[in-house]
Amino acid sequence: MIRLGRVQVKVIERVVATIPLALAVALAAFVLMRAIPGDPVDIMMGEGASSSEEEMAALRTGLGLDQPIHRQLVVYLKALLRGDLGYSIVRSRPVAQMIREALPATIELAMCAMLFALALGIPVGVVSALKHNTAFDRVSTAVSFIGVSLPAFWLGIVGILVFSMTFGWLPTSGRIAYGMEPRHITGLLTLDALLTGDMTALGNALRHLCLPAAALGLGVAAVVARVTRSSMLDVLGSDYVLFARAKGVPEPAVTTRHALRNAMIPTVTLVGLQFGSLLGGNMIVETIFGWPGLGRVVVDAIFARDYPVVQAAVMVYALTFVGVNLITDLLYTVLDPKMALE
Amino acid sequence: MGSVMMHEVASGVDAGAAAGAGMLLDVRNLHTVYPSARGNVRAVRDVSLTVAPREVLGVVGESGCGKSALMLSIMRLVPRPGRIVEGNVRLDGVDLLELSPAQMRDVRGKRIAMVFQDPMTTLNPAHRVGDQIVESLRVHGMTPSGAGRPEARRDCLRSRLWQGRRDREEERDYVIELMRRVGIASPEHRHLEYPHQFSGGMQQRIMIAIALACKPRLLLADEPTTALDVTIQAQVLDLMEEINHDMGTAIVIVTHDLALAGDFCDNIAVMYAGQIVECGPADAIMEDPLHPYTRGLLLSMPRLGSRQPLHAISGEVPDLTSVGAGCAFAPRCERRTSRCEAEESPLVQTRDGRVIRCHAGTIVSL
């Protein structure tokens, strides 16, 4: 009998609990897609009305769309249980392959946006708390309030106008210049470039990442800064911080080892939630920056009523949310030893 | 007759310097204020006290009388915007208020240690108790054997990486020994546990172990037993008594419990509205309180077997933003005269070595 640690048990529990959730999400996506008026054949053939009724009926039969909905659902679920996500109706390619291609781009963008948000938000929050009620604190609080209110697409457009059009420093769209792609390993271009040692590709990929990551990350940075500031203020007033000072702990260590570590718990919760929405909610930014990610695939698929693609993408989003939340929970146990026992 | 026996103290610097000689801690004319929206809260007003090596001093008073502010002032840890306005805090003759922040940091934890009221909130929930004990040593660049290591002083994080395995084992052994010393069972396992895995009394023992790690000469204990059950209180006090006895650590214990101070301390300082109103040997004060406030406190202590109703001091603690020219206790005092309301009594010394701040007090004693 293998003895499992608390963390392993938690992971297994979570994975098992995900299965019914995934099925429920699949069902919801299936039903909702079909509730929207118009089917893929209408959209494909619709505009010109050049095709005859017979041709369209034949196409529907070929795609199985003439079957009653419950039959379609059974076919879909059977395939799903085999791990088959089906074929894209519009592009005639396996959906799994489309997602495999697009997902790394979305993950890379979301991770860079999050890194940007943390690198900006945490220090600003900490310094605001340390310099509570000073000019820095007031200005950063005001700026972060504005940051929360600005939509990412507006920031993206302004970013393109300023940094690409006016100064010409950064590219306007795409992930990397044509022909510079590093050898495919993980699908994350920056990581692949690092692994293959291709520094030109790395630089180019990073330049492409700057604007979309900043546009997506700025709002998150503002929220992170606000949450970090308030939890830091709480913790700095706590008895254990006073006790650390009474022990003679130097001020930088009081801030990091004693205060920041405890103050990070609310921030980690927030980052988990925000990361999920960065992965799932960046369709607009991907569209503005011509970023070949899952968001664009989904937008195209929704307009084309490409049922299998939308259904699969919704499931991917749901599963990434669950995965990110699991990682967040595991991070808690590192930060807060009380959680490890519960 | 009375005026011949007493003379004013602590008003002139010369008299003060003589009184502080040979003392471990010598606080003189200390004033601490907390600015607030309603005005300056004068939490500590003209407090002078001394602590001899190995002495146990009790600072007694009701909530809000400035006891904790006094302790934090001695440590120079008064939270902003509060600040020390004037006075001296001498430790072994060195004025702590003149030290640079780095020098003061070296005093904290190493020469003066402090324990707080509520161990549940005072121990850091995110760190193992063993690590929290060791941290006191490391921040002062000390090894368990007590020798200073200058390179560790510069950066305790870096020293942790460079530290040899033998040093670490030595530290661990010291932590275990210290935990055993403060009465924690099976410390060889428990030093790896987190604060929430200990009971309140055990947490207080750990806090004391942290305070003792650098073998300080002075321990400031701010209501160390208030958050604990009565039986546990007695155990923690016993432990502190042992430490005082075996290690020679002088202790200043802040409490609102006059009976506790009477049992536990050599000397007692009674505080009211930010001032010391009576200070002297514990036995003398418990038997024959001179200041009407001390008397009131003593009368309001419940006694076993007594059928008399408990005495209560009427009135409320004054607002520390607006203390007038008269005695702060006068509005509540049964013996007040027109003089009490007009001017504050200076600190006067009685023949038996006590100091009181009262116009009427000495007359009472005669």
Side-chain angles (χ1 to χ4, degrees), chain A residues 130 238-251 253 257-259 261-262 335-338 341, chain B residues 72 75 77 105 108-109 114 116 121-127 132 135-136 139-140 156 194 196-197 207 210:
Chain A
L130 291 175
S238 72
D239 285 350
Y240 55 81
V241 164
L242 184 61
F243 188 50
R245 291 194 177 120
K247 278 160 83 173
V249 177
E251 210 49 33
R257 199 162 17 165
H258 289 273
R261 174 154 178 186
N262 287 289
L335 285 173
D336 185 356
K338 267 187 225 169
L341 288 173
Chain B
L72 292 175
M75 293 292 270
L77 283 174
R105 217 189 63 224
R108 293 187 198 119
M114 189 161 175
F116 291 85
T121 58
T122 308
L123 295 172
N124 192 320
H127 295 284
Q132 297 192 48
E135 189 186 30
S136 312
V139 294
H140 294 297
C156 61
Y194 290 92
H196 69 272
Q197 291 167 279
M207 193 154 36
I210 291 172

Side-chain angles (χ1 to χ4, degrees), chain A residues 215-261:
Chain A
L216 261 182
L218 214 59
V220 182
V223 184
V224 167
R226 297 179 63 164
V227 169
T228 305
R229 173 181 177 273
S230 75
S231 62
M232 210 40 201
L233 275 178
D234 257 13
V235 170
L236 284 173
S238 72
D239 285 350
Y240 55 81
V241 164
L242 184 61
F243 188 50
R245 291 194 177 120
K247 278 160 83 173
V249 177
E251 210 49 33
V254 171
T255 310
T256 52
R257 199 162 17 165
H258 289 273
L260 187 58
R261 174 154 178 186

Side-chain angles (χ1 to χ4, degrees), chain A residues 41-322:
Chain A
V41 178
D42 284 336
I43 308 272
M44 272 192 289
M45 303 295 173
E47 308 252 320
S50 55
S51 46
S52 66
E53 285 295 319
E54 291 85 54
E55 278 174 325
M56 285 173 73
L59 200 52
R60 286 207 175 88
T61 316
L63 292 168
L65 293 175
D66 57 339
Q67 303 277 333
I69 281 188
H70 63 273
R71 290 291 300 275
Q72 290 185 37
L73 180 62
V74 171
V75 172
Y76 167 61
L77 288 179
K78 272 186 180 167
L80 194 62
L81 289 177
R82 285 199 309 270
D84 179 3
L85 294 174
Y87 273 77
S88 159
I89 295 173
V90 180
R91 308 205 175 204
S92 311
R93 295 173 60 203
V95 173
Q97 193 193 345
M98 289 171 66
I99 286 175
R100 240 193 334 269
E101 281 171 14
L103 190 58
T106 295
I107 290 177
E108 186 170 42
L109 179 55
M111 286 192 359
C112 286
M114 189 48 88
L115 277 180
F116 174 81
L118 295 180
L120 187 66
I122 292 178
V124 168
V126 169
V127 175
S128 295
L130 291 175
K131 301 193 177 297
H132 182 44
N133 274 341
T134 61
F136 180 92
D137 182 29
R138 282 170 225 269
V139 170
S140 74
T141 306
V143 169
S144 73
F145 185 72
I146 296 168
V148 174
S149 324
L150 291 179
F153 72 84
W154 185 84
L155 285 170
I157 292 168
V158 170
I160 290 175
L161 274 176
V162 174
F163 294 101
S164 307
M165 312 299 276
T166 310
F167 295 113
W169 290 340
L170 296 167
T172 52
S173 74
R175 287 180 80 189
I176 196 160
Y178 184 73
M180 279 184 103
E181 295 89 347
R183 191 156 54 82
H184 187 281
I185 302 171
T186 59
L188 307 177
L189 292 184
T190 43
L191 192 60
D192 288 352
L194 263 182
L195 290 174
T196 54
D198 188 346
M199 288 305 138
T200 359
L202 179 67
N204 193 276
L206 284 177
R207 275 162 49 83
H208 278 85
L209 267 168
C210 280
L211 279 182
L216 261 182
L218 214 59
V220 182
V223 184
V224 167
R226 297 179 63 164
V227 169
T228 305
R229 173 181 177 273
S230 75
S231 62
M232 210 40 201
L233 275 178
D234 257 13
V235 170
L236 284 173
S238 72
D239 285 350
Y240 55 81
V241 164
L242 184 61
F243 188 50
R245 291 194 177 120
K247 278 160 83 173
V249 177
E251 210 49 33
V254 171
T255 310
T256 52
R257 199 162 17 165
H258 289 273
L260 187 58
R261 174 154 178 186
N262 287 289
M264 275 298 94
I265 293 171
T267 309
V268 166
T269 316
L270 174 80
V271 166
L273 290 173
Q274 292 279 339
F275 196 70
S277 60
L278 278 186
L279 279 173
N282 57 8
M283 293 160 192
I284 297 173
V285 170
E286 285 190 2
T287 307
I288 292 172
F289 287 96
W291 194 261
L294 196 56
R296 275 182 73 203
V297 170
V298 174
V299 171
D300 291 348
I302 290 173
F303 285 133
R305 305 285 185 275
D306 196 343
Y307 298 151
V309 176
V310 177
Q311 286 158 12
V314 168
M315 269 191 38
V316 169
Y317 284 141
L319 294 183
T320 36
F321 239 104
V322 172

